[in-house]
Amino acid sequence: TYKFSGEKYSLDTSADNITPNYTVDLNYVLTFKDEDLLVRANCALDIKDAPLRELLIRYAGDMTVNRVEGRSAMADDYETFEKDGAKWLKIPFAPDTIGKTDLFINFEKSMKNTQSTPIPPIFIDGAKSVRGHILLAANRGLSLTVEDKDLKNLRRYPVGSAPLREPGLQHNFRFKDQDWEGKVTVVHEQVNIVSEVFHIGSVGEGTIYGSSIFTYHVSGAPVDKIQLKINPSVKNLEFTGGNIVDWKLLDGSTAEE
């Protein structure tokens, strides 16, 4: 603001191109399934000095982008491209995007016939600082192993102190810059079944009637079927109980449920 008195005054002005200055808090969530790895990048951006028109993110070449969400992002107009052998994601933002805003990016990677994998790297271009957490979760029946010798600039924290509640969470790491590395080994746990059986029988004229109550305790990994050996003389079979979807006789003496 300038104040003047009188009719004779002049003012010369010039404008510089002010670039946005932004920082990112990143929660990088990896969920391991039997044959797939689902990756979610939760980005909390704090944009200052000027609006942010677009964001460039470099991601691992063996991942594919599934979905982009964010109240300030033009999610349907994102673009993927390759530059110097690396994969990039360009996300345009709505006009006048400044201040704090959230961005959510979902990736996917095949884990078929794969027992170990590097933690897929992600790099947010132009950010003044990027810090946050890497959370490793898995479906039941999968155990994740991370050796300290395979970690670079990642500090291990208790799972209970993770910033997000994630089903199947097994590891929580924190980083303070983008120069981090890690490797995960996936172990398929063995199924262990302990069963208790209670038989009840009653004798009628020419026939023996019976029923059996099975109590199963399944640990290690989930099961989708259980096979029982049945005496061929048993007729009129019927199975009832929780979590039984269907049952069938395989060869006249073996029942599968």
Side-chain angles (χ1 to χ4, degrees):
T1 301
Y2 298 90
K3 185 177 180 180
F4 62 92
S5 60
E7 298 180 354
K8 294 183 179 181
Y9 61 87
S10 64
L11 178 66
D12 294 330
T13 61
S14 61
D16 292 329
N17 185 20
I18 302 175
T19 58
N21 181 8
Y22 54 95
T23 61
V24 182
D25 285 334
L26 172 63
N27 288 319
Y28 198 45
V29 184
L30 283 70
T31 302
F32 289 82
K33 298 182 178 294
D34 287 333
E35 294 186 348
D36 296 295
L37 170 60
L38 304 182
V39 180
R40 187 174 77 251
N42 299 349
C43 307
L45 287 82
D46 189 4
I47 308 166
K48 299 178 180 179
D49 297 338
L52 182 63
R53 295 181 180 179
E54 62 184 25
L55 188 66
L56 292 176
I57 297 176
R58 188 178 69 231
Y59 61 98
D62 54 0
M63 293 200 303
T64 57
V65 180
N66 275 353
R67 190 170 68 256
V68 175
E69 298 175 310
R71 56 188 173 89
S72 298
M74 301 173 67
D76 294 334
D77 295 332
Y78 74 83
E79 176 187 349
T80 60
F81 63 94
E82 291 193 16
K83 180 181 178 182
D84 298 330
K87 282 190 174 183
W88 288 83
L89 170 66
K90 182 169 70 173
I91 304 172
F93 281 79
D96 300 327
T97 298
I98 196 169
K100 295 184 178 181
T101 188
D102 293 327
L103 178 67
F104 307 96
I105 309 166
N106 294 271
F107 303 91
E108 185 174 348
K109 173 183 175 180
S110 175
M111 289 290 293
K112 191 173 183 179
N113 301 323
T114 303
Q115 293 185 338
S116 64
T117 180
I119 299 176
I122 184 172
F123 178 81
I124 301 176
D125 189 50
K128 183 178 180 180
S129 70
V130 178
R131 59 179 59 197
H133 290 260
I134 295 178
L135 307 179
L136 305 181
N139 281 5
R140 290 183 58 186
L142 299 179
S143 177
L144 306 178
T145 302
V146 181
E147 301 288 345
D148 289 339
K149 64 181 179 63
D150 296 324
L151 298 177
K152 175 185 176 183
N153 295 333
L154 292 176
R155 185 173 180 182
R156 196 185 300 266
Y157 277 78
V159 173
S161 65
L164 300 176
R165 291 185 177 272
E166 198 70 26
L169 183 62
Q170 297 186 18
H171 296 277
N172 172 26
F173 300 97
R174 182 164 178 78
F175 59 90
K176 294 185 177 181
D177 56 52
Q178 301 194 82
D179 185 26
W180 52 260
E181 294 178 4
K183 183 180 178 182
V184 185
T185 300
V186 182
V187 178
H188 291 258
E189 297 181 357
Q190 296 296 320
V191 177
N192 185 30
I193 301 177
V194 177
S195 176
E196 294 181 356
V197 186
F198 179 62
H199 298 290
I200 303 175
S202 61
V203 180
E205 185 175 350
T207 307
I208 297 178
Y209 303 93
S211 61
S212 299
I213 301 174
F214 293 83
T215 301
Y216 294 107
H217 178 72
V218 182
S219 60
V223 295
D224 57 1
K225 63 183 178 182
I226 294 176
Q227 290 188 357
L228 302 174
K229 188 75 173 180
I230 308 296
N231 191 294
S233 63
V234 177
K235 307 298 181 183
N236 300 324
L237 283 170
E238 181 179 354
F239 290 90
T240 60
N243 298 325
I244 296 179
V245 178
D246 195 8
W247 69 274
K248 61 183 178 180
L249 284 175
L250 300 180
D251 55 12
S253 62
T254 304
E256 180 180 83
E257 47 178 304

